[in-house]
Amino acid sequence: MQGDAYLKCINPKCGLEYPVESTNVQCTNGHLLDVKYKKIPPTDLKEVFYKRRNSENSIFNESGVWRFRELLNFCQIDTENFEECSKYLVSLDGAEGRQSKPYQMSKAADFVGISTRNLWLQPEGYNPSGSFKDNGMATAVTHAKMVGAKKIVCASTGNTSASAGMFAANEGIDCDVYIPAGQIAPGKLSQAYQFGAQILEVNGNFDDALKQSLEDAQNHEGYTVNSVNPFRIEGQKTIPFRALEYLNWEVPDWIVYPGGALGNTSSCGKALMELYEWGWIKKIPRIAVINSDGASTLSDLYNGKFEDEEIRWNKGNPNTELISRYYDHLDKQGIKPKTKATAIQIGRPANILKGLRALEFTNGVVTTVSDSEMLDGMSVVGLNGFDCEMASGASVVGIKKLIAQEIIKKDDVVVGILTGRQKDAMLPVEYHQNPNNIFANPPKN
Ligand SMILES: *Cc1c(COP(=O)(O)O)cnc(C)c1O
Ligand SMILES: [Zn+2]
């Protein structure tokens, strides 16, 4: 196994490689990196993964992330040996990814206009810190431990800091969290404090906070755990892995995500590229990314709303100048990302190029939804007895919109990812007090 995993620049014209112990989040030419594996994992591992659902007291089998460890084996360990695993793998007692799998939700299906058996919604909010971020944080902190990092650093719209703080506390390492002052849901900020993270308030938005955290991580030997870290992407591959496993590896027609920094979109794309290349799947689901109307960078660029050009990965030759001009345009016009769904209030998605690659590989689509639509999506999930936050509601109403536009067909099988649980307690209260909202159930007096 020695030397099986390494890092490689995603730009095919550059292609620089680095050893797996590298903590770079970019190649020297400023391109994003992928974790790559030389060995092809055999498909009979499907049975091994299934058997591990009977965990036999191993937290690494219980974990919905490490259960798939052979498909993200950047530690290059003897994966059958528990002692060996414990030395390397970071896990919150097996809780990351453990509870998340796709469910059928009849009221949500009625609302979006598809039959109940064709719609699967996967609540990632049932992770230990309450969002999908734990899938990727378990792997990023594993890599941090592998390279001996004493401090992890992130910028956050809330859930990243909750997750990073939780794993850092559990591993006994420091954690610095850069947040846009005043723009974090209280339920997320309080988690970062509770887990003992050091909060650094930035006057600006998430994009400004990320810039500052990346600079400070470099200057003060911090280990960055934002989704620009390729090891985050590895752990988040297990979100589609679990969906596929629960569907008996029968590939759905669509996988739908809310789009923020596009780490999730990127990891789904990488998971599908690998599974297809390795012969694990024969069909490729289409990815749909749902932006907020108020933070629609990917949608604007992908759908030709800026300079009439539809940006594409273009086999590794994307028009990056178009992206730069778009950002200049935002700056010049003073346009800031604005939505109440703060988890996706991001103007400069750090993983946009990996996101475009994912969309190209899967023949994906991008659309936008409004704040009030997202609240409806969030609320209908609740009526099925499941909990999710406003940004996750984007998956539900995004599916509804794409069905109405006949882009998603009525007999397509769709998996929507519900990225996090409710941490903004007043949102449902306000929603239900307003009788004009579709699902409102106002209080009586
Ligand atoms: C982080 C986050 C997102 C955005 O995910 P990206 O990978 O940044 O696109 C969406 N929803 C929730 C709840 C999140 O915490
Ligand atoms: Zn490069």
Side-chain angles (χ1 to χ4, degrees):
M1 271 287 222
Q2 203 61 35
D4 180 53
Y6 60 103
L7 291 166
K8 187 176 167 77
C9 162
I10 66 166
N11 182 322
K13 280 190 294 195
C14 173
L16 285 169
E17 294 182 7
Y18 298 89
V20 77
E21 294 80 14
S22 165
T23 57
N24 298 343
V25 294
Q26 297 185 331
C27 80
T28 45
N29 296 319
H31 311 127
L32 293 171
L33 301 172
D34 270 334
V35 182
K36 300 284 275 183
Y37 306 97
K38 290 182 189 143
K39 226 180 83 175
I40 297 177
T43 54
D44 53 11
L45 282 168
K46 284 177 184 173
E47 272 147 60
V48 175
F49 299 158
Y50 185 78
K51 283 205 189 104
R52 284 180 185 156
R53 279 155 67 174
N54 180 352
S55 67
E56 296 184 338
N57 290 326
S58 163
I59 60 165
F60 304 115
N61 292 349
E62 237 178 87
S63 165
V65 172
W66 295 121
R67 193 153 65 76
F68 298 97
R69 51 193 174 267
E70 285 85 350
L71 305 192
L72 35 137
N73 193 13
F74 58 84
C75 293
Q76 304 172 58
I77 48 172
D78 174 356
T79 50
E80 287 312 308
N81 181 321
F82 180 79
E83 296 301 314
E84 196 63 5
C85 284
S86 316
K87 266 189 257 163
Y88 294 90
L89 307 183
V90 167
S91 174
L92 205 96
D93 201 37
E96 59 285 336
R98 183 172 59 198
Q99 306 264 51
S100 95
K101 60 179 183 188
Y103 291 91
Q104 294 187 319
M105 302 189 193
S106 58
K107 288 180 184 139
D110 283 350
F111 177 57
V112 304
I114 199 170
S115 83
T116 302
R117 60 168 201 284
N118 282 18
L119 178 69
W120 297 90
L121 294 173
Q122 182 163 318
E124 290 294 326
Y126 298 163
N127 270 285
S129 84
S131 81
F132 78 83
K133 302 293 197 301
D134 293 344
N135 293 283
M137 205 55 75
T139 46
V141 179
T142 294
H143 186 251
K145 188 167 135 182
M146 178 173 151
V147 301
K150 300 276 177 287
K151 181 171 81 175
I152 61 173
V153 179
C154 66
S156 183
T157 60
N159 279 331
T160 300
S161 58
S163 185
M166 179 187 74
F167 280 106
N170 202 243
E171 289 297 316
I173 55 177
D174 289 339
C175 178
D176 283 358
V177 169
Y178 290 75
I179 58 155
Q183 293 175 40
I184 304 282
K188 298 177 182 176
L189 184 57
S190 61
Q191 283 180 293
Y193 279 118
Q194 171 73 5
F195 295 132
Q198 178 61 56
I199 310 283
L200 295 112
E201 288 185 327
V202 176
N203 282 323
N205 57 31
F206 170 81
D207 302 311
D208 304 316
L210 179 61
K211 191 160 170 274
Q212 196 174 327
S213 85
L214 290 171
E215 280 167 16
D216 283 11
Q218 270 215 317
N219 299 336
H220 305 104
E221 304 204 327
Y223 179 97
T224 293
V225 294
N226 280 99
S227 55
V228 289
N229 177 328
F231 296 92
R232 269 277 302 277
I233 303 296
E234 289 308 287
Q236 286 167 214
K237 292 191 308 192
T238 64
I239 298 168
F241 290 166
R242 288 192 297 273
L244 286 166
E245 190 191 56
Y246 276 90
L247 300 177
N248 293 316
W249 297 95
E250 277 170 34
V251 178
D253 297 291
W254 294 90
I255 304 182
V256 184
Y257 288 96
L262 301 176
N264 241 349
T265 306
S266 303
S267 62
C268 185
K270 184 169 189 278
L272 297 172
M273 286 160 73
E274 290 175 343
L275 291 176
Y276 190 75
E277 191 187 309
W278 294 338
W280 283 55
I281 56 172
K282 300 280 179 259
K283 180 182 127 185
I284 303 165
R286 299 178 72 182
I287 293 179
V289 181
I290 317 300
N291 274 162
S292 147
D293 280 344
S296 56
T297 296
L298 181 68
S299 174
D300 290 351
L301 289 168
Y302 195 74
N303 296 319
K305 302 232 169 89
F306 180 69
E307 293 186 3
D308 285 325
E309 181 176 338
E310 296 181 348
I311 198 168
R312 289 295 178 271
W313 172 243
N314 195 18
K315 299 196 174 81
N317 282 303
N319 186 352
T320 51
E321 277 154 30
L322 187 74
I323 303 176
S324 304
R325 285 201 299 278
Y326 179 84
Y327 291 157
D328 286 347
H329 152 85
L330 293 184
D331 286 346
K332 272 200 210 104
Q333 307 288 317
I335 303 169
K336 306 268 184 225
K338 187 146 185 46
T339 165
K340 268 165 66 179
T342 46
I344 53 172
Q345 183 172 255
I346 290 174
R348 297 173 185 240
N351 288 295
I352 189 164
L353 295 181
K354 282 186 178 177
L356 291 173
R357 184 178 66 172
L359 289 164
E360 182 153 295
F361 181 71
T362 65
N363 188 24
V365 302
V366 185
T367 192
T368 65
V369 292
S370 70
D371 277 14
S372 79
E373 288 175 307
M374 279 187 266
L375 288 168
D376 292 336
M378 174 188 93
S379 301
V380 77
V381 167
L383 296 178
N384 287 272
F386 289 88
D387 183 41
C388 77
E389 72 160 68
M390 183 170 169
S392 311
S395 294
V396 180
V397 284
I399 293 168
K400 182 175 165 67
K401 185 167 176 185
L402 292 170
I403 289 173
Q405 294 173 339
E406 294 180 8
I407 294 170
I408 295 182
K409 305 282 184 272
K410 292 258 181 196
D411 54 359
D412 283 351
V413 174
V414 186
V415 175
I417 308 301
L418 304 176
T419 41
R421 74 166 152 78
Q422 184 61 261
K423 299 183 184 180
D424 206 340
M426 285 316 285
L427 278 182
V429 175
E430 286 160 11
Y431 181 89
H432 284 281
Q433 281 172 345
N434 180 351
N436 296 324
N437 288 324
I438 303 178
F439 298 106
N441 186 10
K444 287 186 182 151
N445 46 24

